[in-house]
Amino acid sequence: MAVFCRLSPPVGRKTMEMIMRHVFLAVAAMSGSFGMAGEPIDIGDRLELMVDDFLIERFDGRAEFRLHRPVQREVVFSCDQPWEGNWSGLVTFIQDGATYRMYYTAGEWGRGRAAICYAESKDGVRWTRPKLGLVAYGGSKENNIILPGKGIIAFVPFKDTNPDCKPGEQFKAMVAQTKPERALYGYASPDGIHWRAMQGQPLITRGQFDSQNVAFWDTGRGRY
């Protein structure tokens, strides 16, 4: 910042010193207003993913942003049951307290997706398929199917953290279906296993809905 002064008529030394002292204080005040950082952003006890420098004033030493490469480990889950067919995918994971919940679609590629399946784990490594007794496959309900997959393009659940959420709707899902019309429907569940359609009408009708359609309760905005 440059400051230019023109004094006319000429002034004495003491007057000049007083003027320059006031100019210095004014410049210092403006520098504090424009050049110094504001108050730190209070994030409370939230966990923040550092993807940019919005919450970071400066880096010291060798600190830097670094995207770590994933390292392939052992296989923890194989879709090898008869009802899982030759294709499984569109996986969604939910951490629910001490339990990890996994939801995935399964079936025969090109012949429709036969099932929406569920598995769970306590450590994210060792997974089990609970025998739910909900949907029959091959004459038996001894499987982990939660919904028949026919007509379902994608099933994407989430744990509802809305404090006003109804007791029977602690879990919700965005479900892309082809019937009664190709659209996005809302499902609800009290336990993440027993599901029902929330209404007969779709939530959204415009779109392709050919992938995982994600929803969640935004605590900051107070809306889904």
Side-chain angles (χ1 to χ4, degrees):
M1 178 181 294
V3 177
F4 299 92
C5 297
R6 180 180 180 183
L7 302 176
S8 180
V11 297
R13 178 178 177 181
K14 289 185 178 180
T15 302
M16 176 62 75
E17 289 178 353
M18 181 182 67
I19 292 173
M20 293 307 298
R21 185 162 53 249
H22 282 82
V23 169
F24 174 79
L25 292 174
V27 172
M30 287 187 290
S31 297
S33 299
F34 297 106
M36 297 179 65
E39 292 295 321
I41 299 173
D42 183 11
I43 63 172
D45 59 356
R46 300 197 312 271
L47 295 177
E48 292 286 342
L49 182 63
M50 299 297 185
V51 297
D52 55 31
D53 59 359
F54 178 71
L55 296 173
I56 301 173
E57 182 181 59
R58 67 178 184 274
F59 286 107
D60 290 332
R62 299 177 61 186
E64 63 177 354
F65 283 121
R66 177 179 297 176
L67 180 62
H68 293 279
R69 294 181 178 274
V71 179
Q72 183 172 326
R73 297 297 187 184
E74 66 276 10
V75 175
V76 298
F77 191 84
S78 296
C79 296
D80 53 9
Q81 298 302 305
W83 56 87
E84 292 172 340
N86 62 4
W87 181 90
S88 297
L90 298 177
V91 184
T92 299
F93 295 93
I94 297 177
Q95 184 177 358
D96 182 23
T99 301
Y100 293 94
R101 302 177 182 271
M102 176 169 63
Y103 301 85
Y104 59 100
T105 60
E108 295 290 334
W109 184 258
R111 297 182 181 179
R113 297 166 186 174
I116 306 300
C117 301
Y118 169 83
E120 61 185 25
S121 171
K122 294 300 181 182
D123 57 9
V125 177
R126 291 173 285 272
W127 293 86
T128 60
R129 294 177 177 85
K131 296 179 180 180
L132 302 175
L134 298 176
V135 180
Y137 180 86
S140 172
K141 291 185 178 181
E142 295 289 303
N143 56 58
N144 64 325
I145 303 174
I146 58 174
L147 287 171
K150 187 175 182 180
I152 294 181
I153 304 171
F155 178 87
V156 187
F158 65 97
K159 182 77 177 288
D160 192 351
T161 58
N162 183 349
D164 297 324
C165 175
K166 296 179 181 179
E169 299 179 355
Q170 294 295 314
F171 291 83
K172 291 184 173 67
M174 304 294 281
V175 184
Q177 298 179 186
T178 57
K179 296 180 179 180
E181 63 176 304
R182 188 183 181 94
L184 197 61
Y185 294 80
Y187 277 58
S189 169
D191 54 10
I193 295 176
H194 300 84
W195 293 86
R196 61 174 177 80
M198 298 180 67
Q199 59 184 21
Q201 299 299 317
L203 300 175
I204 304 175
T205 57
R206 293 180 178 274
Q208 293 300 315
F209 314 119
D210 61 347
S211 185
Q212 289 175 275
N213 309 278
V214 180
F216 62 94
W217 170 256
D218 189 319
T219 56
R221 295 179 173 87
R223 61 188 301 180
Y224 294 99

